[in-house]
Amino acid sequence: MDKFVINGGKALSGTVHISGAKNAAVAILPAVLLANEPCTIENLPEISDVATLLRAIKQLGAEVRSINKSTVEIDPTPINSFVIDKKMAEGMRASSYFLGALLGRCNRARVAPPGGCDFGVRPIDQHIKGFEALGAKVIIENGMVDARAAALRGCSVYLDVVSVGATINIMLAAVKARGLTVIENAAREPHIVDLANFLNSMGANIMGAGTNVIKIRGVECLHGTTYSIIPDQIEAGTYMVAAAATGGDVLIENVIPKHLESIIAKLVEAGAEITEYDEAVRVKMTGRPKKCNVKTMPHPGFPTDMQPQIATLLAIADGTSIVTEGVWDNRFRYVEQLIGMGAKIQVDGKMAVITGVEKLTPAPVKAVDLRAGAAMIIAGLMAEGITEVENTIYIDRGYENVAEKFQKLGAEIKRVPVLSKEANLKNA
Ligand code: EPU
C-alpha cells in the first residue's frame, strides 16, 4: 500500500489533460458482452477499476487485447460462463453491471453482490425490480445474486429512486429483450448517455438517454463497434476545485464543459473566474474563496462525487457554508480527517456546517474512499508543509496518474511505498 507525500501551500498552474470517464468505462466494458463481434474501446482511463473489470471479462472467456494504454479490443464471442464469483468480484465496484449484461447476453447471470465505497447501505432493489419486470426470476442465495429468464420481454419500469446503477443495468438487460422497454424516472448522468451512444453504435435502439424517460426497443443482435469514452466529469471537477482551492490558474483540457455546469456555477459563486472553451475550462482564483451552500443531487444537480472536494475548498472560505448530501446516507466520513487539519466542520446527519478558517495545517490523513481521497490530496495541496495521505488504493480506483498530473501543475507530490510492519522489522 502506498501513500502520497505532499509539500503543500503552492498555487497550481499549467494545463492538465482529463482522462476517459470511470463511470462510463465501468458500464461500457460489461456492455461489450452483449455484442456478437469484437469491439474496440478507446479513451479508457488507466485506473484500477478498469483493470479489475478487464480481468473479470477475461475470466468469463472473452479475448482482451490491449492496443495501447487507453485502447482495448475485446472479443466476447468465446464467453462460456455467466458467473462472477466472490473472488472475481473482490475489489470490483461495478460488478453489478455484469448482472444486466450477462442476463441480456444469455438470459442467466450469477454475480456476487457489488461492493463499493462505504457511504451507508448500497441497495440494488431497483435493479432487481427492473430485471423482474423484464421477466427474470431473481434470487439471492449463498451470497450470490442469481437472475434467470426463459426470455426477456420489454416492460415499463418506474424507478422509485433515481439510480444510475439501476438505469444502466435495466438498459443492459433490455437492449436485446423482445419489444419496448420504458424506464421512467431514469438517471440522466453523462455516463448514461455515453452508454446509450455506445449501445446504439452497436445497433441498439435506445431513445431518450439524458432525459428521465428512456425508451429501448429490443433488437435481435448487436454488432461490433469502435467507441471512444467521454472525458471524466468528476476528474475534471476535482482538478477545477484543486486549482481554485490553491489560488491557482489552471487550464483543464479534454472536457465537455456542458457536463461541468453545476461545478462551474458553484466555483463562480465561491469567487473563481472561469473561462469556457470548446473542450477546455480555465479556472483562476485570487484571494480567499467566498462561502456558498451546496446540495448534491442526481444530474444535472451538483454531483455527490464532487461533495468532499468542494467541502474541502469551503473549509477555507470567508464565512459559513452549508453542504447537504442529497444522494448518499453517509458521505461525510472524511470530515474527521479535515478537522485534523484544522477545519471547522460540524456534521448533522446529511448536512455539514463549514465555518471557514484562514488556512488548513498539514497532518497525516487517510483516504476513506475514492472521492474523499481526492479531497485529502486537495487539502494537502492547500496546507503549507508536509501532508501524508494514506490508502492510495482508493484513489487509484478512479484517478489516472494523479501524482504525475498534479506534478505537471507545479505541485510537490510523490507516491511513497508504505512498508508493512514485517518489512520494516526486516529493514531495521
Ligand atoms: N438506491 C436504492 N436502490 C437501488 C439503487 C440505488 O435505493 O436499487 C439509492 C442509493 O442508496 C442512493 C441512490 O439511490 O441513495 C443513488 O444510487 P445510485 O444507484 O445512483 O448509485 P450507484 O449506481 O451505486 C453511481 C456511481 C457513484 C455515484 C452514484 C451517484 C458508478 C460506478 N458509481 O453509483 O460513483 O456516487 O452513482 O451519482 O457509476 C464514485 O465514482 O466515486 C462513485 C461512488
Side-chain angles (χ1 to χ4, degrees):
M1 180 94 74
D2 298 341
K3 64 182 174 187
F4 289 123
V5 179
I6 302 166
N7 187 8
K10 294 170 198 73
L12 297 179
S13 74
T15 301
V16 62
H17 186 88
I18 298 305
S19 304
K22 166 180 97 78
N23 288 346
V26 300
I28 285 173
L29 288 174
V32 170
L33 270 49
L34 292 158
N36 60 7
E37 283 173 340
C39 294
T40 301
I41 312 296
E42 300 170 342
N43 204 31
L44 272 175
E46 216 182 354
I47 53 175
S48 64
D49 268 12
V50 163
T52 318
L53 275 173
L54 288 174
R55 261 199 311 277
I57 289 172
K58 251 190 222 165
Q59 284 187 46
L60 286 172
E63 276 166 25
V64 178
R65 198 161 66 92
S66 170
I67 310 280
N68 60 44
K69 87 174 188 49
S70 58
T71 307
V72 290
E73 188 193 63
I74 302 172
D75 182 358
T77 50
I79 285 179
N80 51 18
S81 165
F82 55 81
V83 182
I84 299 281
D85 61 27
K86 267 210 176 97
K87 198 151 181 271
M88 221 192 274
E90 229 166 39
M92 179 161 56
R93 309 312 177 175
S95 60
S96 73
Y97 295 153
F98 283 110
L99 276 171
L102 287 165
L103 202 52
R105 181 188 164 89
C106 45
N107 290 340
R108 182 80 202 270
R110 198 170 156 76
V111 175
C117 291
D118 178 10
F119 319 132
V121 276
R122 292 190 75 166
I124 57 163
D125 57 299
Q126 299 302 303
H127 305 226
I128 293 174
K129 175 178 167 176
F131 297 149
E132 287 176 342
L134 282 161
K137 191 168 184 298
V138 185
I139 50 171
I140 301 179
E141 59 173 13
N142 304 325
M144 299 286 277
V145 185
D146 195 303
R148 63 179 81 190
L152 295 167
R153 285 177 197 284
C155 63
S156 255
V157 53
Y158 176 86
L159 297 181
D160 300 328
V161 289
V162 180
S163 159
V164 170
T167 305
I168 286 176
N169 243 337
I170 297 167
M171 282 166 73
L172 293 172
V175 71
K176 286 168 73 182
R178 195 172 308 154
L180 181 71
T181 297
V182 181
I183 309 173
E184 289 183 75
N185 202 25
R188 292 178 278 171
E189 269 65 7
H191 30 288
I192 295 206
V193 180
D194 209 33
L195 173 67
N197 288 341
F198 170 67
L199 290 168
N200 283 343
S201 79
M202 295 159 88
N205 185 349
I206 303 176
M207 292 152 291
T211 74
N212 57 6
V213 181
I214 299 179
K215 293 187 178 164
I216 304 154
R217 195 167 287 285
V219 293
E220 284 270 316
C221 64
L222 295 174
H223 54 75
T225 186
T226 295
Y227 191 82
S228 182
I229 289 172
I230 51 165
D232 196 308
Q233 171 205 24
I234 304 301
E235 188 197 19
T238 301
Y239 285 98
M240 289 167 74
V241 169
T246 58
D249 183 357
V250 173
L251 183 73
I252 293 114
E253 61 171 28
N254 188 36
V255 300
I256 299 174
K258 177 100 186 108
H259 294 169
L260 302 171
E261 273 172 354
S262 60
I263 302 167
I264 291 174
K266 281 296 147 187
L267 284 177
V268 167
E269 222 178 301
E273 201 185 300
I274 308 228
T275 318
E276 287 183 43
Y277 303 95
D278 285 349
E279 291 180 0
V281 289
R282 179 177 169 191
V283 178
K284 190 174 169 194
M285 178 75 118
T286 32
R288 200 169 161 193
K290 295 184 204 151
K291 65 173 178 142
C292 72
N293 297 337
V294 179
K295 178 164 185 188
T296 70
M297 283 193 288
H299 192 80
F302 189 89
T304 171
D305 295 340
M306 283 300 302
Q307 185 257 95
Q309 300 91 313
I310 197 95
T312 303
L313 164 91
L314 295 172
I316 57 155
D318 189 6
T320 300
S321 309
I322 295 177
V323 173
T324 311
E325 174 56 45
V327 177
W328 296 109
D329 285 340
N330 182 12
R331 205 172 189 170
F332 285 118
R333 291 190 310 131
Y334 66 89
V335 161
E336 205 185 311
Q337 311 288 316
L338 281 185
I339 291 174
M341 295 181 74
K344 279 199 185 146
I345 307 178
Q346 261 191 323
V347 176
D348 184 4
K350 289 176 142 194
M351 200 169 82
V353 180
I354 306 175
T355 309
V357 292
E358 288 262 330
K359 57 181 178 131
L360 296 181
T361 46
V365 289
K366 59 178 185 219
V368 296
D369 61 60
L370 166 60
R371 308 302 173 186
M376 290 310 117
I377 293 183
I378 296 174
L381 295 169
M382 291 158 71
E384 217 175 306
I386 305 285
T387 291
E388 297 194 348
V389 182
E390 281 195 9
N391 289 355
T392 53
I393 193 168
Y394 287 116
I395 303 169
D396 294 337
R397 279 190 39 222
Y399 289 91
E400 177 176 314
N401 291 337
V402 68
E404 291 78 2
K405 287 191 185 189
F406 275 119
Q407 281 160 8
K408 265 195 78 189
L409 297 176
E412 273 187 52
I413 170 170
K414 59 181 181 198
R415 181 188 287 271
V416 175
V418 177
L419 296 177
S420 64
K421 272 191 191 135
E422 297 81 48
N424 269 333
L425 281 175
K426 263 194 212 153
N427 289 344

